Amino acid sequence: MQEPLQISFHNMDSSEVLERRVREHWAKVERHYDGIISARIVLEAAHKQPHKSTLGVSISIGVPGRDIAVKREQRLHESDDRATWVINEAFHAAERQVEDYAQKLRR
């Protein structure tokens, strides 16, 4: 990748655990195509109230000639940790899109 991976946290405190999980998932995405130019991942909490909190994950991947964008949101509850689920879903979608892009280039 030409530019370093950017990870941002909006409306929430940064978390080493979430950042580590993002980097692990990103390593899997990078394996599908080595021509990625840039990547920006934003983890965002829409609300500060615990009973109405939503975690959003936005992934923007720059590849030659196009940008790949993925966005997933999940309402979080105090009793269960859905942050892992929404991060997994966003990165699985990103992997599929990068893999599809790489396959089109090979044809």
Side-chain angles (χ1 to χ4, degrees):
M1 194 164 63
Q2 294 176 5
E3 296 178 18
L5 175 64
Q6 296 177 17
I7 302 172
S8 301
F9 294 86
H10 291 176
N11 297 331
M12 62 186 291
D13 295 331
S14 62
S15 164
E16 289 182 30
V17 173
L18 292 179
E19 185 170 338
R20 188 174 336 109
R21 184 166 306 276
V22 165
R23 289 185 185 282
E24 289 169 0
H25 279 290
W26 179 249
K28 293 177 187 175
V29 172
E30 276 189 308
R31 285 188 272 163
H32 292 286
Y33 179 61
D34 61 358
I36 295 173
I37 298 167
S38 64
R40 178 174 167 86
I41 293 100
V42 178
L43 286 85
E44 182 171 16
H47 302 285
K48 287 283 189 172
Q49 300 94 355
H51 64 284
K52 290 186 175 182
S53 63
T54 301
L55 178 65
V57 179
S58 300
I59 303 171
S60 179
I61 303 169
V63 292
R66 109 175 234 218
D67 283 331
I68 296 171
V70 173
K71 183 167 180 141
R72 295 291 185 270
E73 289 183 352
Q74 177 64 39
R75 191 166 198 167
L76 304 177
H77 302 285
E78 289 182 56
S79 61
D80 69 349
D81 177 24
R82 302 295 288 180
T84 300
W85 181 86
V86 71
I87 291 169
N88 290 345
E89 287 296 309
F91 275 97
H92 288 297
E95 277 186 76
R96 286 190 303 270
Q97 288 188 35
V98 169
E99 188 175 19
D100 289 348
Y101 176 81
Q103 285 179 356
K104 286 179 185 176
L105 288 180
R106 284 185 223 125
R107 290 184 205 156

